[in-house]
Amino acid sequence: MAQEKKTQKLSYEQLEAYASQMETQARKIYEENRLMKQALNSKDMEYAFRVLDHAELFSKDFIKVVVNRLEELLNPERNSEVETKEEEKE
């Protein structure tokens, strides 16, 4: 048995209100995402410095990877360029 779906036409005002709600929600999610990225970068740096504190326990290749990652995290100009490129792709 097929179920019929009823479609309700929205007025311009309802559609505008819905679009405004969606925009507000998108901004909120974007800000949460930005804050989470900052927290992640902070944790990344924390662990990278811990690895460097105990560099004798790790291979030289791994230490090079960690140092490169730290350089990326500590170079905000390069990070903003990468984020801008990612946002343009979306």
Side-chain angles (χ1 to χ4, degrees):
M1 176 167 49
Q3 294 180 350
E4 292 184 25
K5 293 184 179 180
K6 293 184 179 181
T7 58
Q8 178 184 5
K9 292 185 180 181
L10 299 175
S11 70
Y12 181 79
E13 290 79 20
Q14 290 172 319
L15 189 58
E16 193 174 52
Y18 182 70
S20 177
Q21 289 173 354
M22 295 298 290
E23 182 180 10
T24 302
Q25 185 178 11
R27 285 183 182 165
K28 181 181 174 186
I29 291 171
Y30 180 83
E31 181 63 19
E32 288 174 7
N33 186 22
R34 189 185 65 76
L35 292 173
M36 291 177 81
K37 283 182 179 180
Q38 283 181 339
L40 178 64
N41 285 343
S42 177
K43 282 293 181 185
D44 280 353
M45 283 195 294
E46 180 182 337
Y47 289 123
F49 281 117
R50 285 185 182 180
V51 167
L52 293 179
D53 286 342
H54 303 285
E56 67 278 358
L57 300 174
F58 301 97
S59 71
K60 290 181 182 180
D61 291 336
F62 182 68
I63 297 301
K64 287 179 185 177
V65 170
V66 171
V67 168
N68 289 337
R69 177 66 177 142
L70 269 174
E71 288 175 353
E72 290 174 7
L73 291 170
L74 294 173
N75 187 349
E77 185 177 296
R78 184 172 178 198
N79 285 341
S80 65
E81 289 174 6
V82 170
E83 286 179 10
T84 303
K85 288 179 183 177
E86 288 176 359
E87 289 173 0
E88 288 175 358
K89 289 179 183 177
E90 294 173 1

